[in-house]
């Protein structure tokens, strides 16, 4: 066994608890209690088809219902494709997971039923695997054999290989040769043929699996390909991680998904010459996103992040990483993971140190990351937060939402980033991934083209934080070494520039939007609130005038904005939230309801619409719980913005001068 020495396994057996043992058995009870079912052909497709098309939630997978697939929200039953093929992908995943976990149970207990079940799974797949026909058609992905994409193939083979390592010494020579030749090496060869020449989390997982197989079957050609070839693990780590430590795709979920692949390899390779521990970006990649916790206590749902993936639950990463590095921030990550629950799991059993040095759990903090393009402004006492996304384009898993916002008040998201749902559901590409469903600027309701925003200015003082950012779609973008599909509209944004500046006062957020629009296209500054817009007599009911992602918006109302307008939203569990919009130009305001995530409830949308060639607008978000902000006046004078308001009986005067290279901010009270 390569994963652990016999001495290490003896220590693990002595640490094992009854609860860990019972959970492992319970989690694999379906496989243990049923006959070993393995697809005889390439009928399995994609697990991300297994989502309700209406609600965007995962369907209820049942072992004994391969042709009946129910939505857990309303019980609607779906039959046929793509659900049947996705069911078989679920079975492959279940079998592969059981291969690893039952192999571990064999090592922990030496009970023969676990050994026998892993043998059945591995020998069964080895019987059919060489004859599975490659198939695919999944966006952005290469083909699979047992499954419909190369990534899924790698995920299953990683568990097959690790499970095999647990039982290898208990197999006959013929059984070892059969499994290694017909399943593991066959799989590694297939993965080598179909690993794409790109930076991507997929290629991290594919390379990691090839490398683990190579280590276990002692084939150096696999290991060299996985680690040292172009687009192998070292290359991905060097070129795909920026100087701050952020994975280029910009999704915190995919950051840790790529890291999960890296550590899966490292857990097997850490005592070999192929260990990657001392690569310059290795530790930075582990630690950097831990600074990006939201005021909600979770990660922000940036880019492709399916609901639930924003949770910090990564014990499989941080138990091992803490053993390697023993730093305070990793201890804080573990303290966060185990807040309110015992440190009694397989990851701590296999990789954890005996005693953690206690650190406080992670909390939201202000951070300005100019390279990663993420700025968080946080008021610790009030737990208010604003996140501005000015990140460079990250490819497939990015969303088209440059200069997008997330705002939290007292730990609750008021203006959220929705993330997304299963990619096989229509609502992923049809709704969640689009510019129009983010808190930013949409032109003609089309998606923003890829661009790399500029941070023009960042000021932090004891009184305020100010950030000034700019997107110019005329600027050339550095070509990304990652495959993309064009899902944006270059023509709509031709000549458009968008400047968004944020003045953060802790309990008030002032955003200043300035747009150049030489083609007089339809500009929509969009905000969606997790609340209900209170009655406003000026709003008149209309038919939905929008196309694209927001054509599904309901309860549409409209009014003309002339100067300053107040909007009030009722918020579940908090006092009402107040937002003020101002523009020196006559413009339209459109409101309505469209899906939240999951799509079992709606958000309140607010669109400020104009076709002005030079458009300016201000949004003031009152983050106080008392609602005692009184706006006295707001006006533009050439390049100067002047705001006066009263709060707690104190008059404040704000002057922002945009005429110079850097914005001058003056606050008098």
């Amino acid at each position: 066994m390569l994963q652990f020495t016999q001495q290490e396994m003896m220590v693990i057996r002595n640490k094992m608890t009854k609860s860990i043992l019972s959970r492992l058995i319970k989690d694999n009870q379906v496989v243990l209690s049923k006959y070993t079912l393995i697809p005889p052909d390439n009928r399995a497709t994609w697990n991300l088809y297994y989502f309700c098309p209406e609600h965007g939630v995962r369907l209820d997978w049942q072992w004994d219902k391969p042709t009946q697939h129910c939505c857990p929200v309303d019980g609607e039953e779906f039959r046929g494709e793509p659900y049947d093929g996705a069911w078989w992908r679920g079975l492959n995943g279940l079998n592969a997971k059981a291969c690893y976990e039952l192999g571990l149970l064999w090592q922990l207990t030496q009970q023969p039923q676990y050994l026998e079940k892993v043998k059945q799974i591995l020998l069964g797949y080895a019987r059919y695997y060489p004859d599975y026909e490659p198939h695919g058609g999944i966006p952005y992905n290469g083909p699979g054999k047992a499954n419909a994409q190369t990534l899924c193939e790698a995920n299953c083979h990683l568990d097959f290989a690790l499970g095999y390592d647990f039982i290898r010494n208990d197999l006959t020579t013929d059984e070892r040769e059969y499994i290694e030749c017909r399943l593991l090496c066959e799989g590694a060869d297939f993965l080598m043929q179909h690993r794409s020449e790109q930076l991507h989390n997929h290629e991290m997982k594919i390379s990691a699996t090839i490398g683990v197989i190579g280590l276990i079957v002692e084939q150096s050609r696999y290991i060299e390909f996985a680690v040292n070839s172009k687009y192998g693990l070292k290359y991905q780590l060097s070129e795909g991680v920026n100087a701050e430590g952020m994975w280029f795709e910009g999704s915190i979920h995919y950051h840790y998904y790529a890291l999960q692949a890296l550590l899966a390899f490292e857990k097997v390779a850490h005592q070999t010459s192929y260990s990657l521990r001392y690569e310059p970006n290795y530790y930075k990649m582990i630690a950097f996103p831990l600074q990006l916790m939201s005021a909600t206590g979770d990660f922000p749902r940036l880019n492709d992040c399916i609901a639930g993936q924003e949770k910090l639950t990564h014990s499989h990463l941080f138990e091992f990483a803490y053993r390697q590095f023993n730093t305070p921030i990793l201890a804080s990550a573990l303290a966060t993971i185990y807040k309110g629950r015992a440190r009694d799991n397989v990851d701590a059993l296999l990789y954890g140190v005996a005693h953690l040095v206690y650190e406080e759990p992670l909390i939201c903090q202000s951070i300005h990351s100019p390279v990663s393009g993420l700025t968080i402004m946080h008021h610790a006492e009030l737990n208010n937060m604003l996140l501005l996304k000015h990140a460079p384009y990250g490819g497939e898993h990015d969303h088209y939402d440059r200069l997008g916002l997330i705002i939290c008040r007292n730990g609750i998201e008021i203006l959220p980033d929705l993330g997304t749902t299963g990619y096989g559901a229509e609502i992923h590409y049809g709704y969640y991934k689009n510019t129009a469903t983010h808190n930013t600027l949409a032109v003609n309701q089309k998606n923003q083209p890829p661009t790399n925003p500029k941070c023009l200015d960042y000021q932090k003082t004891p009184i305020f934080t100010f950030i000034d950012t700019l997107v110019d779609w005329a600027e050339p973008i550095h070509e990304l070494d990652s495959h993309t599909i064009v899902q944006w509209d270059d023509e709509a944004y031709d000549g458009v520039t968008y400047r968004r500046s944020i003045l953060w006062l802790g309990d008030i957020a002032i955003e200043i939007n300035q747009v150049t629009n030489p083609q007089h296209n339809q500009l929509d500054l969009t905000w969606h609130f997790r609340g209900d817009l209170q009655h406003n007599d000026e709003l008149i009911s209309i038919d939905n005038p929008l196309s694209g992602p927001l054509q599904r918006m309901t309860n549409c109302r409209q009014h003309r904005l002339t100067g300053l307008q107040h909007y009030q939203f009722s918020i579940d569990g908090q006092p009402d939230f107040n937002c003020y919009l101002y523009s020196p130009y006559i413009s339209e305001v459109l409101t309505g309801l469209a899906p939240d995530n999951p799509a079992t409830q709606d958000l309140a949308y607010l669109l400020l619409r104009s076709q002005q060639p030079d458009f300016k607008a201000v949004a003031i978000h009152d983050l106080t719980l008392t609602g005692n902000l009184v706006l006295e006046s707001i006006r533009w004078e050439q390049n100067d913005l002047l705001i006066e308001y009263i709060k707690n009986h104190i008059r404040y005067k704000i002057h922002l001068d945009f005429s110079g290279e850097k914005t001058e901010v003056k606050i008098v009270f």
Side-chain angles (χ1 to χ4, degrees):
M1 180 172 53
L2 189 59
Q3 294 171 76
F4 305 99
T5 65
Q6 286 302 314
Q7 183 178 5
E8 288 172 331
M9 186 51 67
M10 285 296 296
V11 172
I12 290 168
R13 287 174 187 150
N14 290 332
K15 290 196 303 180
M16 181 183 63
T17 64
K18 289 183 179 179
S19 60
I20 292 176
L21 190 63
S22 63
R23 276 199 304 275
L24 281 170
I25 295 170
K26 181 181 178 181
D27 289 349
N28 292 279
Q29 194 58 44
V30 170
V31 174
L32 287 169
S33 62
K34 307 289 186 181
Y35 65 89
T36 302
L37 177 61
I38 294 168
D41 52 36
N42 60 325
R43 64 186 65 184
T45 57
W46 196 25
N47 56 321
L48 291 179
Y49 286 141
Y50 213 68
F51 279 76
C52 172
E54 178 181 354
H55 300 108
V57 297
R58 197 178 298 272
L59 300 177
D60 184 20
W61 192 96
Q62 297 290 331
W63 190 92
D64 55 352
K65 294 182 178 180
T67 61
Q68 299 169 263
H69 321 287
C70 288
C71 173
V73 175
D74 60 7
E76 182 177 357
E77 185 178 283
F78 299 92
R79 290 178 175 264
E81 296 298 344
Y83 310 106
D84 289 355
W87 184 93
W88 285 95
R89 168 63 184 94
L91 177 74
N92 283 341
L94 189 72
N95 284 340
K97 172 177 167 289
C99 193
Y100 170 73
E101 292 186 353
L102 296 180
L104 175 59
L105 273 170
W106 162 244
Q107 285 294 329
L108 294 174
T109 68
Q110 293 293 286
Q111 293 185 18
Q113 68 266 32
Y114 305 132
L115 171 63
E116 184 57 33
K117 181 59 75 168
V118 178
K119 282 175 59 176
Q120 289 176 14
I121 293 171
L122 290 172
L123 291 169
Y125 277 98
R127 175 188 175 189
Y128 292 116
Y129 193 79
D131 297 322
Y132 285 153
E133 291 291 332
H135 60 294
I138 309 302
Y140 294 103
N141 288 281
K145 278 169 66 75
N147 308 291
Q149 64 166 348
T150 317
L151 175 66
C152 291
E153 212 71 11
N155 281 324
C156 287
H157 268 80
L158 180 61
D159 280 339
F160 288 152
L162 296 174
Y164 172 73
D165 183 54
F166 280 136
I167 71 164
R168 181 183 187 184
N169 293 339
D170 302 287
L171 299 173
T172 67
T173 300
D174 288 345
E175 287 170 336
R176 288 198 297 269
E177 290 179 356
Y178 192 77
I179 293 167
E180 289 187 11
C181 178
R182 294 180 60 86
L183 179 59
L184 300 184
C185 292
E186 184 85 14
D189 289 335
F190 180 82
L191 294 175
M192 287 173 66
Q193 293 170 27
H194 295 284
R195 190 189 74 185
S196 295
E197 294 188 348
Q198 64 168 341
L199 295 172
H200 203 282
N201 69 82
H202 289 194
E203 316 323 320
M204 286 279 265
K205 177 57 73 77
I206 292 164
S207 293
T209 299
I210 295 168
V212 168
I213 291 173
L215 289 166
I216 289 172
V217 303
E218 300 178 17
Q219 288 280 347
S220 61
R221 69 184 182 94
Y222 294 148
I223 310 171
E224 287 294 329
F225 179 85
V227 177
N228 294 320
S229 66
K230 189 175 182 181
Y231 300 107
L233 293 175
K234 283 186 177 180
Y235 185 85
Q236 298 282 338
L237 193 54
S238 171
E239 302 300 318
V241 179
N242 69 29
E244 292 171 339
M246 186 71 184
W247 180 244
F248 80 97
E249 291 181 273
S251 161
I252 297 173
H253 163 66
Y254 278 105
H255 179 107
Y256 281 127
Y257 190 78
L259 184 66
Q260 172 186 309
L262 187 68
L263 295 196
F265 175 80
E266 182 68 15
K267 286 173 182 178
V268 181
H270 68 280
Q271 292 183 329
T272 75
S273 61
Y274 292 102
S275 172
L276 299 170
R277 172 180 176 174
Y278 298 105
E279 291 296 307
N281 285 336
Y282 180 93
Y283 176 76
K284 288 196 295 184
M285 190 178 182
I286 294 170
F288 175 74
L290 298 175
Q291 304 172 83
L292 302 176
M293 297 294 289
S294 171
T296 63
D298 300 318
F299 290 120
R301 282 191 200 172
L302 299 169
N303 300 327
D304 278 352
C305 177
I306 296 173
Q309 293 174 339
E310 74 276 12
K311 303 292 183 183
L312 179 56
T313 58
H314 308 68
S315 57
H316 60 297
L317 302 182
F318 291 107
E319 287 286 3
F320 181 75
Y322 184 76
R323 189 177 79 177
Q324 282 192 312
F325 295 104
N326 192 22
T327 56
I329 195 168
L330 301 186
S332 288
L334 289 170
T336 306
I337 291 168
Y338 296 126
K339 187 165 53 178
R341 67 187 182 96
R343 185 181 173 231
D344 187 30
N345 58 52
V346 168
D347 307 311
L349 173 68
L350 298 182
Y351 303 109
V353 299
H355 302 287
L356 292 175
V357 174
Y358 181 76
E359 296 286 344
E360 289 293 331
L362 298 168
I363 58 172
C364 184
Q365 58 182 303
S366 295
I367 181 173
H368 176 56
S369 301
V371 178
S372 302
L374 297 171
T375 296
I376 293 175
M377 291 165 272
H378 182 241
H379 189 293
E381 183 180 348
L382 301 175
N383 201 18
N384 295 333
M385 183 203 83
L386 184 146
L387 182 150
L388 177 63
K389 176 184 174 184
H390 47 104
Y393 178 61
E396 173 197 353
H397 288 296
D398 207 336
H399 287 190
Y400 308 105
D401 65 328
R402 263 53 214 164
L403 309 190
L405 295 176
I406 299 173
I407 295 179
C408 298
R409 183 181 67 173
N410 195 29
I412 292 179
E413 280 186 328
I414 306 292
L415 279 81
D417 189 317
L418 301 181
T420 191
T421 186
Y423 308 152
E426 182 277 334
I427 201 170
H428 166 62
Y429 287 115
Y431 180 72
Y432 290 121
K433 199 173 176 71
N434 298 279
T435 300
T437 55
H438 291 78
N439 300 307
T440 187
L441 171 73
V443 179
N444 292 345
Q445 285 292 297
K446 302 297 185 181
N447 285 339
Q448 297 175 355
T451 183
N452 293 340
K454 293 179 181 177
C455 182
L456 304 175
D457 189 16
Y458 177 76
Q459 305 175 36
K460 185 173 176 61
T461 76
I463 298 173
F464 68 85
T465 302
F466 178 76
I467 185 168
D468 196 5
T469 54
L470 175 70
V471 170
D472 182 351
W473 278 283
E475 297 244 339
I477 184 172
H478 176 70
E479 189 169 342
L480 193 64
D481 191 9
S482 190
H483 305 332
T484 58
I485 298 173
V486 175
Q487 296 173 313
W488 56 83
D489 191 316
D490 289 305
E491 184 177 351
Y493 290 82
D494 184 25
V496 174
T497 67
Y498 177 33
R499 183 176 181 180
R500 180 170 247 177
S501 315
I502 306 292
L503 179 62
W504 172 257
L505 301 170
D507 56 358
I508 301 171
I510 301 172
E511 54 162 298
I512 304 100
N513 300 281
Q514 303 178 69
V515 186
T516 60
N517 179 29
Q519 300 185 76
H520 296 256
N521 285 329
Q522 179 63 62
L523 305 176
D524 288 316
L525 284 169
T526 305
W527 299 268
H528 53 227
F529 298 82
R530 194 161 276 151
D532 296 318
L533 178 61
Q534 298 300 291
H535 181 71
N536 186 319
D537 291 335
E538 296 183 21
L539 290 164
I540 301 171
S541 294
I542 62 167
D543 293 333
N544 186 347
L546 303 176
S547 60
L550 289 183
Q551 65 184 337
R552 66 188 78 206
M553 197 162 74
T554 61
N555 196 31
C556 295
R557 295 182 292 170
Q558 182 175 289
H559 78 94
R560 180 161 290 186
L561 180 74
T562 55
L564 179 67
Q565 182 67 48
H566 171 220
Y567 303 88
Q568 190 169 23
F569 298 84
S570 61
I571 305 297
D572 189 25
Q574 282 194 357
D576 288 352
F577 180 83
N578 296 290
C579 174
Y580 301 84
L581 295 186
Y582 165 79
S583 176
Y585 308 100
I586 296 175
S587 46
E588 300 292 329
V589 169
L590 177 67
T591 71
L593 302 175
D596 199 341
N597 189 6
T600 53
Q601 61 187 28
D602 286 332
L603 295 157
Y605 273 78
L606 192 64
L607 278 69
L608 181 58
R609 317 195 77 201
S610 176
Q611 294 180 333
Q612 284 282 338
D614 291 289
F615 184 61
K616 296 178 181 179
V618 179
I620 299 178
H621 305 281
D622 180 2
L623 302 179
T624 67
L625 294 173
T626 56
N628 62 1
L629 174 69
V630 179
L631 273 173
E632 292 281 280
S633 67
I634 178 170
R635 66 188 187 276
W636 279 98
E637 294 180 357
Q638 298 298 323
N639 291 313
D640 295 304
L641 178 63
L642 305 166
I643 302 171
E644 291 189 29
Y645 64 89
I646 297 173
K647 186 187 69 176
N648 297 330
H649 308 293
I650 300 173
R651 182 179 298 275
Y652 294 79
K653 295 183 178 182
I654 296 175
H655 177 202
L656 294 101
D657 180 358
F658 290 95
S659 61
E661 185 175 334
K662 300 291 185 182
T663 302
E664 185 177 352
V665 181
K666 293 181 181 178
I667 301 177
V668 179
F669 55 91

